[in-house]
């Protein structure tokens, strides 16, 4: 007579499942209807103004129907927890896909969805067809299926300790980075391929939701009390990611005027590895002792974090010096304009940010300094985002302005109202700067993962104490105000901000604010010595923002300090005072 395997069995089954419940049956029905709606959308025109760029409906049908059929099959095989997980994983990306699809209704010609919509002529605007409403219905039904599946098996049991709890989120963040890049390369004049941050707001919002949902869903999947649900969620999440990333890859392979880009391939590769890990045992066994897991973990995580930090600094260093704009002469006899390099006034800012990252990255690789340098690196990466977005803003503005017909007069090879004789594209500097941003995101997750392993190894100590509350809160509030206001003022120049003139550099400001506030909150819950390091790192990041006055303002002309500069200095002082108080308290630690 077969018995249930004990938790210590080396190969667990998919198996604490029971007969499917009524809510799960409803969830499966909703998922099936959603898959049918998405398949029908592939067969029905999205808009009367454009047709699909290639025969995509068989591929889209496979991507939509396969996960729904798999969920129904697993439920019929008396594995309802696995089926529930599949539905939860699919539903995780449904809100992002819904917002992404709304771009068809807002401004169809700006969409980059050649599998559904590719004009063969200039289209200033387009109405939506029945296919659009089927897409919306499919997204809503998939999301509703996830909600019903969640209600079908809510439990308050404590989850088991999971394997891959650091690797899976790292892979999910890697996939999220790929989602924010240009989905396809284009030689087609009617399809302007752009990265998410260069595109219109509905598409940008959709991609941001998708990028945020991937790692969040991966973390929640591993927190599930049921291993079968955890496995199913990771598999459903992979299927949903394939539904987003596979169509542009197919478009690049099946059309001569479109090209495959690295972003979707990165999504497919990272999520495929996640799916592979879902087929392994997720729950740790008592045989996997703390020593077996942690001691190698600290070394490898610190090594990975340090190397990623050095790679980020190197990419930012190249990005600060390489040309931000590439100019191609349409007339072979034309001379390239002098202003083609479009040097960014923030290039020295990016150079300093690279040095700020390189120093703690080196320290993370050295055993004697790793414990102190790693938390600083876990904050310094935001400086790359702060400076890198400012550099990219120059490149994006220059290429958009340079490609306007007749822009620039004779010095740019054109006259007003005439067709320009040059094309302006993002240069090597922009590519390296973007690579630095991608690597900085990976540094953030690697540093966080290393911190988790370090905290698990460390003995429990006292918290930093309530005596730090006043200077830490003061430093955090001043830092938020400093990043929200201009650091310098130049006549005729309006700096991007958080409250007004929100532009590409504003994302860097927002990132830095979130990192500093998070570090301040974590410091209040940390032991005195780690708290002092966190607060010092937050002060360093705030000081980097204040350094925009000499590093960026001097390149723009006669710059003078503005309110943000003085607030940044005050925030630095408050954070350093709090760090000093915490360091003094650490002397009394046993």
């Amino acid at each position: 007579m077969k018995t249930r395997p004990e938790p210590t069995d080396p190969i667990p089954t998919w198996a604490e499942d029971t007969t499917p419940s009524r809510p799960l049956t409803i969830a499966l029905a909703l998922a099936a209807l959603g898959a049918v709606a998405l398949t029908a959308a592939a067969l029905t025109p999205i808009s009367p103004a454009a047709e699909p760029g290639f025969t995509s409906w068989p591929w889209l049908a496979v991507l939509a129907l396969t996960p729904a059929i798999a969920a129904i099959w697993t439920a019929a095989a008396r594995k309802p927890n696995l089926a529930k997980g599949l539905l939860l994983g699919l539903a995780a990306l449904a809100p992002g896909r819904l917002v992404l699809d709304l771009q068809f209704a807002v401004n169809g010609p700006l969409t980059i969805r050649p599998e559904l919509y590719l004009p063969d002529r200039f289209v200033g605007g387009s109405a939506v067809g029945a296919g659009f409403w089927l897409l919306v219905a499919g997204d809503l039904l998939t999301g509703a299926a996830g909600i019903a599946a969640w209600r079908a098996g809510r439990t308050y049991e404590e989850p088991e300790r999971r394997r891959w709890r650091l690797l899976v989120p790292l892979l999910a963040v890697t996939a999220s980075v790929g989602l924010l890049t240009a989905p396809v390369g284009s030689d087609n004049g009617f399809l302007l391929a752009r990265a998410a941050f260069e595109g219109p707001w509905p598409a940008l919002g959709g991609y941001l939701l998708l990028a945020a949902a991937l790692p969040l869903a991966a973390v929640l999947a591993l927190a599930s009390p049921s291993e079968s649900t955890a496995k199913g969620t990771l598999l459903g999440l992979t299927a949903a990611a394939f539904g987003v990333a596979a169509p542009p890859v197919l478009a690049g392979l099946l059309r001569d005027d479109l090209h495959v880009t690295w972003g979707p391939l990165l999504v497919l590769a990272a999520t495929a590895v996640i799916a592979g890990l879902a087929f392994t045992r997720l729950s740790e066994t008592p045989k996997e002792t703390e020593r077996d897991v942690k001691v190698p973990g600290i070394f490898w995580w610190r090594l990975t974090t340090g190397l990623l930090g050095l790679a980020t600094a190197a990419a930012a260093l190249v990005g600060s010096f390489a040309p931000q704009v590439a100019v191609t002469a349409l007339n072979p006899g034309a001379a390239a304009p002098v202003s083609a390099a479009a040097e960014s006034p923030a290039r020295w800012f990016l150079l300093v940010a690279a040095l700020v990252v390189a120093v703690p990255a080196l320290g993370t690789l050295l055993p004697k300094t790793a414990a102190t340098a790693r938390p600083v690196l876990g904050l310094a990466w935001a400086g790359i985002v702060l400076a890198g977005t400012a550099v990219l803003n120059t490149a994006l503005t220059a290429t958009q302005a340079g490609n306007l017909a007749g822009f620039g007069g004779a010095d740019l090879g054109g006259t007003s109202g005439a067709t320009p004789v040059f094309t302006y594209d993002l240069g090597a500097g922009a590519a390296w700067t973007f690579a630095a941003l991608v690597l900085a995101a990976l540094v953030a997750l690697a540093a966080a993962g290393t911190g988790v392993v370090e905290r698990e190894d460390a003995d429990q100590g006292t918290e930093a104490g309530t005596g730090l509350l006043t200077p830490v809160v003061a430093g955090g509030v001043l830092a938020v105000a400093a990043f929200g206001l201009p650091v310098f003022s130049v006549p005729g120049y309006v700096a991007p901000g958080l409250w007004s003139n929100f532009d590409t550099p504003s994302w860097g400001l927002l990132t830095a604010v979130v990192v500093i506030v998070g570090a301040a909150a974590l410091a209040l819950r940390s032991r005195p010595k780690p708290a002092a390091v966190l607060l010092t790192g937050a002060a360093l990041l705030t000081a980097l923002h204040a350094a925009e006055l000499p590093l960026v303002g001097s390149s723009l002309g006669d710059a003078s300090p503005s309110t943000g500069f003085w607030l940044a200095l005050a925030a630095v002082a408050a954070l350093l005072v709090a760090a000093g108080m915490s360091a003094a308290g650490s002397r009394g630690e046993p």
Side-chain angles (χ1 to χ4, degrees):
M1 181 177 178
K2 292 183 69 175
T3 60
R4 245 180 113 161
E6 296 298 326
T8 56
D9 285 354
I11 303 178
T13 64
W14 301 75
E16 67 279 2
D17 300 329
T18 58
T19 304
S21 62
R22 178 180 174 83
L24 180 57
T25 303
I26 295 174
L28 292 169
L30 291 171
L33 290 174
V36 171
L38 293 174
T39 302
L43 291 164
T44 309
I46 296 295
S47 169
E51 296 181 352
F54 60 99
T55 305
S56 61
W57 70 264
W59 306 98
L60 298 179
V62 169
L63 292 170
L65 294 173
T66 300
I69 293 173
I72 294 172
W73 180 81
T74 52
R78 302 181 68 83
K79 297 181 175 66
N81 281 351
L82 180 58
K84 181 182 76 172
L86 283 168
L87 298 182
L88 290 173
L90 283 174
L93 301 191
R97 295 189 66 170
L98 175 62
V99 176
L100 186 63
D101 291 338
L102 292 179
Q103 182 61 48
F104 288 116
V106 176
N107 194 337
L110 294 183
T111 58
I112 312 175
R113 304 284 294 279
E115 74 278 10
L116 295 172
Y117 182 102
L118 184 60
D120 56 4
R121 64 192 186 282
F122 175 75
V123 179
S126 60
V128 295
F132 168 77
W133 299 109
L134 287 169
L135 273 181
V136 171
D139 295 332
L140 291 175
L141 287 168
T142 303
I147 295 174
W150 174 71
R151 293 176 61 87
R154 285 179 292 176
T155 177
Y156 299 99
E157 298 176 5
E158 288 293 328
E160 297 177 352
R161 187 180 179 87
R162 302 293 187 201
R163 301 169 73 216
W164 319 125
R165 62 189 179 279
L166 299 178
L167 179 58
V168 167
L170 176 61
L171 290 168
V173 169
T174 302
S176 297
V177 171
L179 287 172
L180 299 177
T181 65
V184 69
S186 175
D187 296 330
N188 188 317
F190 303 113
L191 177 64
L192 180 60
R194 299 168 298 241
F197 289 101
E198 303 175 68
W201 275 106
L204 173 59
Y207 282 121
L208 288 176
L209 281 175
L210 291 171
L214 260 174
L216 178 60
V219 170
L220 293 177
L222 295 177
S224 173
S226 165
E227 176 156 340
S228 293
T229 302
K231 290 173 179 285
T233 304
L234 294 180
L235 292 174
L237 191 63
T238 297
F242 267 58
V244 176
V249 172
L250 293 171
L253 294 174
L254 298 177
R255 284 191 64 100
D256 294 335
D257 55 351
L258 301 180
H259 311 289
V260 178
T261 56
W262 63 269
L265 292 178
L266 184 64
V267 177
L268 297 179
T271 52
V273 175
I274 291 176
L277 295 176
F279 284 98
T280 67
R281 175 171 47 83
L282 296 183
S283 298
E284 292 182 355
T285 67
K287 295 179 181 179
E288 294 174 323
T289 63
E290 296 299 316
R291 182 176 181 84
D292 292 336
V293 174
K294 289 181 179 178
V295 173
I298 289 178
F299 170 78
W300 290 110
W301 276 95
R302 283 176 175 171
L303 178 65
T304 301
T305 304
L307 292 178
L308 283 173
L310 290 178
T312 302
L317 185 65
V318 176
S320 62
F321 288 106
Q324 295 295 319
V325 178
V327 182
T328 302
L330 300 178
N331 178 4
V338 177
S339 58
E343 292 183 344
S344 172
R347 62 190 183 280
W348 302 116
F349 187 30
L350 181 59
L351 174 63
V352 173
L355 297 177
V356 169
V357 167
V359 173
L362 285 171
T364 303
L365 296 174
L366 302 176
K368 291 184 178 181
T369 58
T372 301
R374 195 278 311 163
V376 177
L377 180 59
L379 301 177
W381 66 269
I384 296 292
V385 182
L386 181 65
T389 50
V391 169
L392 282 179
N393 188 53
T394 301
L396 295 174
T397 303
T399 53
Q400 291 170 1
N403 286 320
L404 294 175
F407 173 79
D411 63 324
L412 292 179
T415 58
S416 179
T419 301
V421 296
F422 298 103
T423 59
Y424 296 81
D425 302 299
L426 297 179
W432 280 100
T433 302
F434 183 78
L437 297 181
V438 173
L439 289 168
L442 297 180
V443 169
L445 190 64
T450 306
V452 171
V453 177
E454 289 174 345
R455 289 173 72 89
E456 289 178 351
D457 269 11
D459 294 331
Q460 295 297 320
T462 59
E463 293 186 355
T466 56
L468 294 181
L469 184 61
T470 299
V472 168
V473 170
V477 171
L478 288 170
V480 171
F483 280 91
L485 296 172
V487 171
F488 59 87
S489 58
V490 175
Y493 174 75
V494 180
L498 291 177
W499 329 124
S500 61
N501 192 31
F502 198 93
D503 204 350
T504 302
S506 302
W507 292 103
L509 296 170
L510 181 61
T511 300
V513 166
V514 171
V515 168
I516 290 173
V517 172
L522 184 59
L524 293 175
R525 298 175 57 85
S526 301
R527 291 173 293 117
K529 187 178 295 183
V533 176
L534 283 171
L535 294 170
T536 301
L540 177 63
L541 185 56
T542 308
L544 182 64
H545 177 54
E548 288 187 56
L549 173 60
L551 296 174
V552 181
S554 60
S555 301
L556 294 173
D558 188 15
S560 59
S562 192
T563 307
F565 176 76
W566 303 114
L567 289 173
L569 292 184
V572 170
L575 292 170
L576 288 179
V577 167
M581 293 171 61
S582 185
S586 69
R587 297 171 188 168
E589 286 186 307

